[in-house]
């Protein structure tokens, strides 16, 4: 596609529910990143996928957070048993490969946990 | 470890006057540096990037930034502000070790442009 897309654009859920956030990277991009943007914490790295390598999960804040990337393309970020502090904008970015360090961001998913 | 510090959380200018958004970085090697802009309810858009070529980098919408190694700075400037420049600006350094390229963001500077 023309850019990184994310769905849904907005998600409101109740505390304790599970949510799934989806990211479609730019076609052909081998690297995919998830970031979180929240008041007070700014923009923080969550997880990184590169090709078929094991993902770097070092930024995930707790074991309630997980992500997968199927077929080297679409990625899903899952948050289990959501808490109010999970409320944030979740951003996905993709990068074309080792020859470039420019990441292109999607519009984000705004998650609100009531 | 890499880090960036944006020296101003808010900057307010009048339309037609120059813009200066300040950024200092910390890096153990020659860094890749970026400025991203985020308009309200929009995604992050790349303004410009520095990757060890020319120290003066020109970006979109008339913005430019100068890499100064001696000052560990990468300030963003524009000669004449436009109302449409009102947004939040992020200075970013890349953890480029091994092609990893995790981005480390500054806290952001909110730019207000007044008529």
């Amino acid at each position: 596609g023309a850019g990184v897309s994310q769905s849904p654009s907005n998600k409101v859920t109740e505390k304790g529910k599970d949510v799934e956030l989806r990211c479609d990277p730019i076609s052909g991009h081998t690297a995919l990143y998830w970031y979180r943007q929240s008041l007070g914490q700014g923009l923080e790295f969550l997880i990184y996928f590169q090709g078929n390598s094991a993902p770097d999960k070092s930024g995930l804040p707790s074991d309630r957070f997980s992500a997968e990337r199927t077929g080297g393309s679409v990625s899903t970020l899952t948050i289990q048993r959501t808490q109010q502090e999970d409320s944030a904008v979740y951003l996905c970015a993709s990068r074309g490969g080792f020859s470039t360090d420019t990441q292109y961001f999607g519009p984000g998913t705004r998650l609100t946990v009531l | 470890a890499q880090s960036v510090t944006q020296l101003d959380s808010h900057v307010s200018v009048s339309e037609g006057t120059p813009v200066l958004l300040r950024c200092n970085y910390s890096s153990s090697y020659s860094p890749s540096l970026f400025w991203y802009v985020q308009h309200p309810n929009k995604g992050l858009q790349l303004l410009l990037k520095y990757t060890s070529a020319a120290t003066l980098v020109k970006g979109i919408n008339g913005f430019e930034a100068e890499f100064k190694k001696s000052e560990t700075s990468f300030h963003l400037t524009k000669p004449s502000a436009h109302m449409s420049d009102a947004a939040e600006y992020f200075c970013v350094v890349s953890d480029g070790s091994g092609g990893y390229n995790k981005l480390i963001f500054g806290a952001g500077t909110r730019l207000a442009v007044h008529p």
Side-chain angles (χ1 to χ4, degrees):
Chain A
V4 178
S5 60
Q6 293 185 244
S7 60
S9 55
N10 281 282
K11 176 72 176 179
V12 180
T13 190
E14 294 179 347
K15 178 181 174 181
K17 300 283 190 183
D18 297 352
V19 295
E20 286 189 351
L21 313 179
R22 177 187 168 104
C23 171
D24 280 277
I26 293 173
S27 178
H29 279 195
T30 57
L32 186 148
Y33 304 76
W34 284 97
Y35 296 86
R36 179 170 70 173
Q37 184 175 26
S38 54
L39 292 174
Q41 296 297 324
L43 268 151
E44 52 184 343
F45 163 81
L46 296 177
I47 188 169
Y48 161 62
F49 296 90
Q50 172 63 57
N52 295 320
S53 303
D56 184 324
K57 306 178 182 180
S58 61
L60 295 178
S62 77
D63 58 8
R64 296 187 295 105
F65 287 72
S66 63
E68 62 178 21
R69 188 179 185 193
T70 54
S73 181
V74 170
S75 177
T76 302
L77 177 69
T78 301
I79 309 173
Q80 296 178 308
R81 305 181 303 281
T82 52
Q83 304 294 313
Q84 288 183 333
E85 61 262 29
D86 299 334
S87 296
V89 177
Y90 290 82
L91 294 166
C92 176
S94 70
R95 177 171 63 85
F98 289 109
S99 62
T100 175
D101 54 7
T102 300
Q103 295 182 25
Y104 297 91
F105 283 81
T109 294
R110 181 175 297 278
L111 174 67
T112 303
V113 182
L114 301 176
Chain B
Q2 285 66 246
S3 67
V4 287
T5 302
Q6 292 184 244
L7 300 172
D8 307 290
S9 59
H10 292 82
V11 170
S12 182
V13 300
S14 298
E15 190 175 23
T17 65
V19 176
L20 170 64
L21 305 184
R22 299 181 295 164
C23 172
N24 287 110
Y25 70 91
S26 172
S27 177
S28 55
Y29 52 86
S30 183
S32 292
L33 292 160
F34 308 78
W35 277 97
Y36 280 85
V37 61
Q38 187 175 36
H39 288 91
N41 300 314
K42 296 287 180 65
L44 286 159
Q45 181 183 18
L46 179 68
L47 271 181
L48 51 81
K49 68 175 182 179
Y50 166 78
T51 54
S52 74
T55 56
L56 183 62
V57 182
K58 294 187 183 299
I60 61 171
N61 300 335
F63 284 94
E64 62 182 37
E66 186 171 8
F67 174 75
K68 291 186 176 180
K69 186 174 181 179
S70 61
E71 299 177 8
T72 61
S73 68
F74 190 58
H75 302 334
L76 181 70
T77 60
K78 183 173 180 177
S80 176
H82 192 272
M83 296 296 288
S84 61
D85 294 329
E88 187 147 23
Y89 292 78
F90 294 94
C91 182
V92 182
V93 65
S94 171
D95 176 352
S97 54
Y100 182 12
N101 295 126
K102 177 179 74 174
L103 297 183
I104 299 165
F105 286 80
T109 297
R110 187 166 296 279
L111 176 66
V113 182
H114 302 286

